[in-house]
Every structure is written in C-alpha cells, then in structure tokens.
Amino acid sequence: MTSVNGHVSKSQQAAQRRIEHHEADVVIVGAGIMGCALAVALGRQGRSVILLENSMKEPDRIVGELLQPGGVHALEMLGLRDCLEEIDSIDVKGYYVSYFGEPVLLDYPKSTPSSASPLGRTFHHGRFVIKLRAAALACANVTVVETKATALVTSSYTQQVLGVECVAKDLKDCYFAQLTVVANGYDSKLGKSYHPHTPTRRSKFWGLELIDAKLPAPCYGHVLLSNSPPVLMYQIGTHETRILVDIPDNLPSASVKNGGVKGHLRNTILPILPESVQPSFLAALEKGQLRSMPNSFLPASANKTPGLAILGDALNMRHPLTGGGMTVALNDVCVLRDLLSPERVPSLSDTRLVLKQLSRFHWTRKNSATVINILAQALYMLFAANGMCLFRVFSSLVPHAYIHSDQNLKALQRGCFRYFQLGYVAGPVGLLAGLIKQPFILFSHFFSVAFLSIWVLFRETPVSRLLLFPFQSIMVFWTACVVIAPYIFAEIWS
Ligand SMILES: Cc1cc2nc3c(=O)[nH]c(=O)nc-3n(C[C@H](O)[C@H](O)[C@H](O)COP(=O)(O)OP(=O)(O)OC[C@H]3O[C@@H](n4cnc5c(N)ncnc54)[C@H](O)[C@@H]3O)c2cc1C
Ligand SMILES: *[C@@H]1O[C@H](CO)[C@@H](O)[C@H](O)[C@H]1NC(C)=O
C-alpha cells in the first residue's frame, strides 16, 4: 500500500480506514438512485465514502422507470450520463394524454427554437440502479458494503449521529462517519424519528409488464384519464411495456365483491385501454404477475440533527403520476454536492457548518422540488379524485356539501385538457419535465387552467341556467384553490 515516494497516500489511508475501521467522512445508507449518485459525487470530490446496501442483487421493482429530461440533465451534470446506456433504454419525447379517449400529444419543449428537443428515458429500474452501483464501485474513494442498516448510532451526550448499526449474515457491525446519510427509500425506518412528517398513502399503483404492446404513440409516456383514476403506460425495453394503474383505497370497483384488483383491471380498466394494447394487457393479466407499490406524499423537512442528513424518498415524496422522484433526487445531489464541496466545507466534522449548509440545501432545492411536488399532487387530485377522495383530505377545511360534488372537479379536468388542446403545452410540460424550475410559472398555469375551466363552463351553460353561473364559477375557482393550496402550504411551512 505504498506509493512511489514511499509514503502511504492520503486516499490509500482513507481506504484502509474504511475497510479496517469502518470509518469514513460520509456513510450513506441505501445504494438506490440517491445513495449511489451521492456516493459518486462526494467520492469524486475526494471525500472518503462508505455506501451500505441491503441487497446488491439487481432490484426488481415497478418504480423509477421513467426519467424526465430534467433528470437526464442532472445525471449529465454529475458525470453519470453513461449509466443510461447499454440497458436497453428508450428515448421519451413527451406525453400522450388521452381524456375519455380523446388524445393530445405533448412534446417536451425546446429551450430555444434552434436547440435540440429534450429527451427523457425509460428503462428497467433495476438495470439503471446496477449501472449507478457500478459507478460507485468504480470510484476509488467509495467502499460499498452489503449489509442491512438497523439503527443510527448517536452520542447520548450531544445527540449527534455518529454512524449506523448494521446486521450482515446475523453479525452485528457498526460504521462511523462525520456525516451519516439516510437514503434508504420510501419505507425508511431509520429516518423516521428524525423527520417531523409521516408519509400519507391513499392509493397504490398496481403494475403489470406487457409484452410487445402496441402503444398509440411509441416513444411517449402515456397517461389515460377517464372516470377511473389515472393509468400510465411506457415502454421500458425493446419488448416490455409497463402499465401502472392507480387504485385508491376503498375504490368500489376494486372491492372484494367486485372481484378485487383483478376485477377492477378486467372490468373497468381493460375497456378504457387503447384497442391495440388490450391483447397484451389481457395476456399479462392472465399470467397474473400483479405487483403494487404505495403512492406516498411526504413533505420535505430541513435536516437539523447534527451529523445526519435524510435524503431521497426518505426525505420527500410526491405521487408518482408525473414520474418526478428520480429527477428530484438527482437534482438534490447536484445542489448538495455544491453546498458541501471541500472549498465550502473543508471538513465535514465541522457539524455547525454542515448544518448551516443543510439548511441552505433545504431552501435551494425547493426551486425544482416544489414545482415537481405540487404539480404531481395537484394533477393527481384533479384527475384521480372524485368528490370522496378530496372530501377525506379537506373535510376539516370546507363544508361537506361543497366538495362532495364532482362537477367542479370535472369542470377543472375539462379546462385542463382544453388548455393542452389549445396549445399551452410548453409551460406545463416543461414544469413536469423538470426543465422549468420556477414555482411562480406553475401557479400562473394552474390558475390559467382554472379561468379557462370557468370560460368553458360558461360556454356550456344553457341560457336558462345562466343565473346560476356566477355561483358555479366561484365553486370551480374555490375547488381549484382547495386542490392546490394544501400542497403550497406544505412547501412553504416545512
Ligand atoms: C409506483 C411508483 C412508480 C414510480 N415511478 C417513477 C418514475 O417513473 N420516475 C421517477 O423519477 N420516479 C418514480 N418513482 C419514484 C422513485 O422510484 C423514487 O423517487 C426513487 O427511487 C427514490 O430514490 P431513493 O434512492 O431515495 O430510494 P430507492 O431507490 O428506493 O433506494 C433505496 C435503497 O436503499 C436500500 N435499503 C433499504 N433499506 C435499507 C437498509 N435498512 N439498509 C441498507 N439498505 C437499505 C434499498 O435496497 C434500495 O436499494 C416511482 C415511485 C413509485 C412508488
Ligand atoms: C479520491 O480522493 C482523492 C483525495 O483524497 C482525490 O485526489 C482523488 O481525485 C479522488 N479519486 C477519485 C476517483 O475521485
């Protein structure tokens, strides 16, 4: 372990400390999207990093399969763009949205008329993760260990987090660092007692893999909107297409009496799928490899515990309808890498400075995360919610009678779809793609949709009922506020 001039080099010493003493500058729990990207980013800055992962086997999950152009850009900034190659991934040009069978094609917007069209990417989640893990394994300053983190090690004296306790093959072990990062995903128990919020889960995505499905618009993400909660479809490999069907808790058509989830898929979803997709959907349903994942909402919170940073899904989640989670995570890595750079923070043992930077991180990341979070939740509320769903969320805020009516939501849905049809695409899709990062632009589009909805309603109201129109229009506007307000507050006050 000696270098040319006879001295053991600094990074060799660090490697030795990681392996023999389980001690590093940073310990990261979870080698998922967040953990791998962060390990590589910090390792390349010269930090000594230990990355702990429960299972190094290729993950087989129905999550994280569509990366928005904003996320592709973040990967590029991190020098990890090549992780998208050689995994049979597919370019994505935008979205194909169908509203009760009426389609509209929404392209990702170019930043200038002469620039190239931005592209997203779809793939098998596990293949992408394996590539990210390979990048971490290849980084000389990162040591990856297969082990399950069970608890944080804290100083009972200062409350500072000192590291993590792990179990591998029934053997207990500990890893210590100046900064411990909890990035172990949606069901993180480690971060729980350090996060003031708990995830809310009101629906699940049920997933099937279709073989050789013929999508109406290849190379586009498909969103099917109807009386049922939304359905997503995108090709994730040469032959494979993912379909995700949102099923809220207690959905009547998925009740046991109606044949459960399978009954819902066969009786309610099959008929609303494009005809070209139905055969492969039926075949997948017959094969019966149904899988589900909870759709969570978790507002972020500033990390305030010395020695600890909670990141990724463990920090912040939004409904996966808009496929924004990985983009948020990768953007966060870009922000954090700059805020914790050795120039700004010479030693991570300076916990006060680290906490100050983590507080900056909390506010800086909002530019992009706020847009993606609010858009995902608001669109989901708009298109999945029937009166009941909204009612449950806001029952404490608004009198029962007002929200229970579906009509206002339906008016907003129609307005939103008309908005796209009228060609107001670049803004909303740019926001969704993670390309536009100004919350104000999101609000202006959202309220434009509200006013357009009212206009559409006005045009559709027969003269005999025009007297009621002022009341109806106020209710539509009110509903728009009720849809978006809680998520704005969640961003401002957390
Ligand atoms: C149904 C669904 C669909 C989605 N679709 C998309 C999409 O299309 N596009 C998109 O951008 N986002 C999508 N998301 C969100 C996306 O999957 C997440 O935002 C992203 O994976 C978060 O990355 P992460 O690193 O925080 O967590 P994860 O990717 O979940 O990684 C966590 C890692 O920690 C490991 N781990 C867990 N516990 C321990 C432990 N105790 N010790 C050691 N290791 C541990 C796990 O094995 C895993 O490797 C979707 C989410 C859902 C629920
Ligand atoms: C590892 O860290 C050292 C400093 O300790 C740094 O000089 C080197 O560039 C880093 N290596 C990689 C592969 O990033």
Side-chain angles (χ1 to χ4, degrees):
M1 285 273 261
T2 48
S3 56
V4 196
N5 58 10
H7 293 289
V8 178
S9 80
K10 200 177 136 229
S11 54
Q12 283 171 333
Q13 274 180 6
Q16 206 171 345
R17 272 212 307 282
R18 291 197 297 274
I19 294 160
E20 287 171 14
H21 304 294
H22 292 185
E23 191 195 284
D25 295 332
V26 188
V27 163
I28 302 174
V29 180
I33 309 295
M34 175 44 108
C36 292
L38 185 68
V40 172
L42 299 183
R44 286 182 184 167
Q45 287 180 328
R47 305 286 190 192
S48 172
V49 181
I50 296 177
L51 178 59
L52 307 174
E53 169 55 46
N54 190 17
S55 164
M56 290 296 282
K57 277 211 308 265
E58 181 173 317
D60 180 15
R61 306 173 65 191
I62 61 168
V63 308
E65 294 170 317
L66 188 153
L67 185 63
Q68 299 292 350
V72 175
H73 179 72
L75 262 189
E76 209 164 275
M77 303 287 290
L78 294 168
L80 289 169
R81 173 76 198 243
D82 56 351
C83 292
L84 292 173
E85 306 309 330
E86 291 158 8
I87 55 172
D88 192 22
S89 60
I90 312 273
D91 279 331
V92 183
K93 297 180 194 160
Y95 275 89
Y96 168 98
V97 178
S98 120
Y99 184 61
F100 291 95
E102 195 182 344
V104 62
L105 213 53
L106 312 175
D107 282 296
Y108 289 135
K110 297 178 179 190
S111 50
T112 63
S114 57
S115 57
S117 296
L119 292 173
R121 214 49 104 80
T122 47
F123 38 72
H124 286 84
H125 176 79
R127 294 181 189 165
F128 179 50
V129 169
I130 286 294
K131 281 281 198 162
L132 288 171
R133 286 181 184 168
L137 285 162
C139 187
N141 296 331
V142 179
T143 299
V144 186
V145 183
E146 186 166 15
T147 183
K148 185 183 165 79
T150 48
L152 294 176
V153 180
T154 55
S155 152
S156 55
Y157 188 61
T158 60
Q159 305 311 317
Q160 180 171 337
V161 172
L162 305 173
V164 283
E165 213 175 88
C166 295
V167 177
K169 302 188 190 87
D170 292 333
L171 286 179
K172 265 200 186 170
D173 217 330
C174 282
Y175 294 83
F176 296 99
Q178 292 158 348
L179 179 64
T180 300
V181 173
V182 169
N184 64 342
Y186 77 104
D187 200 20
S188 176
K189 302 210 166 44
L190 290 181
K192 228 174 167 179
S193 51
Y194 297 90
H195 200 307
H197 308 292
T198 33
T200 25
R201 299 186 170 132
R202 285 200 197 80
S203 77
K204 283 184 177 159
F205 258 141
W206 288 80
L208 281 171
E209 195 172 286
L210 314 183
I211 301 300
D212 292 326
K214 291 198 180 54
L215 293 178
C219 290
Y220 284 82
H222 289 57
V223 184
L224 309 180
L225 305 169
S226 66
N227 271 332
S228 299
V231 177
L232 299 181
M233 293 189 292
Y234 32 78
Q235 196 181 343
I236 55 171
T238 307
H239 293 289
E240 305 86 18
T241 292
R242 169 70 65 215
I243 181 167
L244 291 176
V245 178
D246 184 83
I247 304 188
D249 301 347
N250 308 322
L251 186 72
S253 57
S255 65
V256 177
K257 192 180 94 222
N258 289 320
V261 168
K262 277 206 162 167
H264 174 73
L265 294 181
R266 192 181 294 272
N267 305 327
T268 313
I269 300 302
L270 178 67
I272 61 168
L273 295 180
E275 250 171 62
S276 62
V277 176
Q278 293 186 359
S280 53
F281 182 76
L282 257 182
L285 201 55
E286 232 92 88
K287 237 166 101 191
Q289 282 157 341
L290 259 176
R291 289 190 295 166
S292 74
M293 275 293 288
N295 296 328
S296 321
F297 171 67
L298 176 68
S301 159
N303 284 287
K304 289 182 178 146
T305 311
L308 175 70
I310 303 174
L311 298 173
D313 270 11
L315 172 71
N316 185 203
M317 286 182 277
R318 77 294 310 151
H319 194 284
L321 176 63
T322 60
M326 295 189 294
T327 297
V328 170
L330 295 170
N331 277 332
D332 281 359
V333 176
C334 292
V335 173
L336 202 57
R337 172 184 68 160
D338 290 345
L339 288 172
L340 293 183
S341 71
E343 294 75 46
R344 288 189 170 161
V345 184
S347 166
L348 294 173
S349 65
D350 187 347
T351 44
R352 270 185 51 193
L353 181 57
V354 171
L355 276 183
K356 203 171 122 200
Q357 293 305 84
L358 285 177
S359 154
R360 288 212 172 113
F361 167 71
H362 178 68
W363 293 103
T364 311
R365 73 185 287 277
K366 277 190 189 287
N367 287 329
S368 59
T370 293
V371 166
I372 294 175
N373 292 343
I374 297 182
L375 192 64
Q377 293 298 130
L379 281 178
Y380 179 72
M381 277 300 162
L382 202 58
F383 286 106
N386 35 61
M388 278 318 285
C389 189
L390 261 190
F391 172 66
R392 255 188 284 152
V393 184
F394 308 114
S395 52
S396 54
L397 285 177
V398 202
H400 178 210
Y402 293 147
I403 356 174
H404 202 268
S405 110
D406 272 352
Q407 279 173 3
N408 306 319
L409 268 177
K410 279 274 172 308
L412 283 171
Q413 289 182 359
R414 283 201 306 273
C416 185
F417 192 71
R418 290 284 168 270
Y419 196 68
F420 295 149
Q421 283 182 319
L422 287 171
Y424 295 107
V425 168
V429 179
L431 291 161
L432 188 142
L435 296 169
I436 302 175
K437 302 180 177 181
Q438 288 111 316
F440 179 75
I441 297 186
L442 168 63
F443 303 143
S444 77
H445 283 293
F446 191 84
F447 286 104
S448 304
V449 164
F451 288 119
L452 181 67
S453 309
I454 292 170
W455 172 243
V456 171
L457 188 69
F458 175 71
R459 301 265 308 259
E460 287 172 355
T461 308
V463 182
S464 59
R465 301 194 56 200
L466 269 184
L467 259 181
L468 275 177
F469 176 74
F471 174 73
Q472 279 182 323
S473 61
I474 291 172
M475 288 319 300
V476 169
F477 190 77
W478 173 242
T479 306
C481 295
V482 169
V483 163
I484 202 170
Y487 302 110
I488 296 179
F489 293 147
E491 290 291 331
I492 296 173
W493 280 318
S494 62

